[in-house]
């Protein structure tokens, strides 16, 4: 009897956890961009701080609240985000963000329209009193568009948290795929295509060992991505480098601070753009995606030949490993 009660409790817990996941902002949609990608649109290169969902190339497609909450603030005419609505969810202590909108819904639309009528295309941020404009999970809160820097209609979706650090508030954007009830149904192909060192580029194949020459310190950059179906390309969630059986470098796109948005060149190499990702396997920065950086520790211990592994991982648990040998040139 006790075992039966325990099983029931576990099942109820699983169902509760599953039911607490966020709804995608567009019903029956699919992912078109992932978190952390390189963006060279606008005035400055930046990280893509959200995930994108298709609005089926339509302006005015319904955008739905991910969970119960209330309207925290809106942006009107933001240079990058365009028309944007922020919903705070007390049950999670998280904020969801819906950007590149064409318009809002209900009383929020009335307020936004009055601001636009008075100030035109000037950027404006309107904050709302706590718990004043409540929304329910799945409720229509806005309509898709291509405002801001968007080139085609879609919905940019973020999950943010605000942490206290003394008297300061630090705003962190999390990979929304961790929170959204979304299943990727398309075929997936995670792969590293090329690796470069000292201005030389080498093709990578899973079934062979690639020798990479270096001088004092290997400054490697890998061209990698994951294809979803025939038309979508996203960035790997995690990239790691092991040298002589030691984890030397690792980047993971699980969280990025808002104040790090315009620092993508810390982890992306030259030639990166919205379609191509050259990921550095070294850095002098200490931004959030860089989880491990031990080059300074091991640089004096490198041998003439150093077996290495390049490891790619996605958020769905796929892992790809490429064998390397880092060869010191005399």
């Amino acid at each position: 009897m006790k075992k039966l009660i325990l099983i029931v409790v576990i099942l109820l817990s699983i169902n509760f956890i599953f039911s607490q996941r966020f709804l995608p902002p567009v019903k029956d949609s699919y992912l078109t961009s992932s978190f952390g990608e390189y963006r060279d649109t606008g005035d400055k290169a930046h990280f893509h701080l959200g995930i994108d969902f298709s609005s089926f190339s339509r302006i005015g497609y319904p955008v739905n609240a991910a969970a119960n909450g209330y309207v925290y603030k809106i942006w009107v005419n933001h240079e990058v985000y365009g028309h944007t609505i922020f919903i705070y969810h007390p049950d999670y202590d998280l904020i969801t963000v819906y950007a590149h909108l064409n318009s809002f819904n209900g009383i929020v639309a009335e307020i936004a329209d009055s601001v636009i009528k008075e100030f035109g295309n000037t950027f404006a941020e309107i904050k709302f009193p706590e718990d004043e404009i409540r929304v329910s999970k799945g409720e229509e809160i806005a309509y898709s568009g291509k405002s801001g820097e968007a080139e085609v209609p879609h919905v940019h979706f973020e999950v943010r948290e605000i942490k206290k650090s003394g008297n300061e508030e630090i705003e962190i954007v999390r990979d929304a795929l961790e929170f959204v009830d979304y299943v990727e149904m398309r075929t997936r192909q995670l792969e590293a295509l090329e690796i470069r060192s000292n201005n030389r580029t080498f093709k990578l194949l899973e079934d062979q060992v690639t020798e990479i020459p270096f001088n004092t310190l290997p400054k490697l950059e890998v061209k990698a991505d994951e294809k979803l179906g025939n038309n979508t390309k996203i960035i790997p969630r995690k990239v790691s480098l092991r040298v002589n059986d030691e984890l030397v470098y690792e980047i993971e796109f699980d969280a990025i601070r808002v104040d790090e948005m315009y620092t993508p060149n810390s982890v992306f190499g030259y030639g990166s753009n919205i379609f191509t990702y050259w990921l550095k396997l070294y850095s002098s920065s200490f931004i959030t995606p860089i989880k491990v950086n031990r080059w300074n520790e091991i640089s004096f211990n490198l041998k003439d030949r150093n077996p290495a592994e390049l490891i790619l991982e996605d958020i769905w648990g796929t892992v790809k490993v490429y064998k390397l040998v880092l060869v010191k040139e005399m």
Side-chain angles (χ1 to χ4, degrees):
M1 185 63 179
K2 288 183 178 179
K3 287 185 178 180
L4 179 59
I5 292 172
L6 181 61
I7 290 170
V8 171
V9 169
I10 291 172
L11 289 174
L12 288 173
S13 299
I14 291 171
N15 287 333
F16 176 77
I17 292 169
F18 183 79
S19 68
Q20 292 302 297
R21 292 180 66 80
F22 287 151
L23 288 177
V26 182
K27 187 177 180 181
D28 299 326
S29 185
Y30 54 90
L31 192 71
T32 60
S33 293
S34 60
F35 180 76
E37 294 176 4
Y38 188 88
R39 289 289 186 270
D40 54 357
T41 50
D43 292 337
K44 294 187 291 186
H46 56 276
F47 286 111
H48 185 242
L49 293 186
I51 60 177
D52 290 343
F53 284 95
S54 172
S55 63
F56 313 103
S57 299
R58 291 168 59 180
I59 291 176
Y61 202 83
V63 177
N64 308 309
N68 296 337
Y70 60 83
V71 180
Y72 177 68
K73 67 180 179 180
I74 62 172
W75 285 345
V76 176
N77 296 320
H78 189 278
E79 181 182 9
V80 176
Y81 284 74
H83 299 334
T84 307
I85 187 168
F86 296 70
I87 306 295
Y88 176 70
H89 307 280
D91 291 342
Y92 303 87
D93 195 20
L94 294 171
I95 298 168
T96 53
V97 183
Y98 314 73
H100 304 314
L101 304 171
N102 183 63
S103 59
F104 305 97
N105 190 28
I107 189 171
V108 177
E110 296 176 16
I111 294 169
D113 289 345
S114 66
V115 170
I116 293 171
K117 185 176 181 181
E118 184 172 355
F119 298 103
N121 293 326
T122 303
F123 168 67
E125 177 181 84
I126 302 99
K127 290 188 175 181
F128 296 90
E130 182 177 324
D131 213 24
E132 181 173 277
I133 304 176
R134 296 198 60 82
V135 298
S136 301
K137 187 174 185 176
E139 180 181 337
E140 283 185 21
I141 55 173
Y143 301 95
S144 65
K146 57 176 185 175
S147 57
E149 68 172 18
E151 296 183 357
V152 296
H154 69 277
V155 177
H156 174 95
F157 180 71
E158 295 180 4
V159 173
R160 298 189 177 199
E161 61 179 331
I162 298 176
K163 290 189 174 182
K164 297 280 187 179
S165 178
N167 294 325
E168 293 185 10
E169 289 186 341
I170 299 172
E171 196 162 359
I172 300 170
V173 189
R174 304 281 299 275
D175 182 2
L177 274 180
E178 289 186 9
F179 302 89
V180 176
D181 182 14
Y182 173 78
V183 178
E184 180 53 62
M185 302 300 294
R186 294 166 291 181
T187 58
R188 306 194 310 269
Q189 185 177 358
L190 179 66
E191 59 183 349
L193 303 167
E194 296 175 309
I195 193 166
R196 63 192 182 197
S197 172
N198 298 334
N199 297 317
R200 285 180 282 183
T201 302
F202 307 87
K203 288 187 176 180
L204 288 172
L205 296 172
E206 280 187 89
D207 58 354
Q208 73 177 37
V209 178
T210 304
E211 292 197 354
I212 310 294
F214 72 95
N215 293 317
T216 306
L217 188 69
K219 288 194 171 183
L220 308 176
E221 298 180 358
V222 61
K223 183 181 179 182
D225 59 46
E226 182 166 24
K227 295 180 177 65
L228 305 180
N230 297 322
N231 302 316
T232 300
K233 185 187 294 184
I234 64 173
I235 200 168
R237 168 63 180 253
K238 183 191 292 187
V239 181
S240 309
L241 182 69
R242 298 184 66 86
V243 181
N244 296 323
D245 290 326
E246 292 188 60
L247 180 61
V248 173
Y249 193 81
E250 183 173 275
I251 51 178
E252 182 175 8
F253 296 104
D254 59 343
I256 299 174
R257 287 170 46 146
V258 170
D259 59 6
E260 296 170 338
M261 178 175 178
Y262 292 102
T263 63
N265 294 327
S266 297
V267 296
F268 288 97
Y270 72 90
S272 295
N273 55 46
I274 192 172
F275 304 111
T276 304
Y277 316 120
W278 279 101
L279 292 159
K280 292 180 178 179
L281 302 177
Y282 65 94
S283 183
S284 59
S285 300
F286 298 94
I287 63 172
T288 307
I290 300 173
K291 308 302 183 185
V292 178
N293 187 0
R294 297 181 56 232
W295 279 116
N296 288 339
E297 294 178 41
I298 72 153
S299 59
F300 297 107
N301 299 320
L302 290 172
K303 308 169 187 176
D304 291 340
R305 295 179 64 84
N306 305 270
E309 287 184 335
L310 171 68
I311 306 164
L312 306 184
E313 300 177 53
D314 70 11
I315 196 168
W316 298 287
T318 304
V319 179
K320 287 288 184 74
V321 180
Y322 296 83
K323 300 289 186 180
L324 313 173
V325 177
L326 307 182
V327 182
K328 185 180 290 187
E329 294 186 318
M330 305 304 291

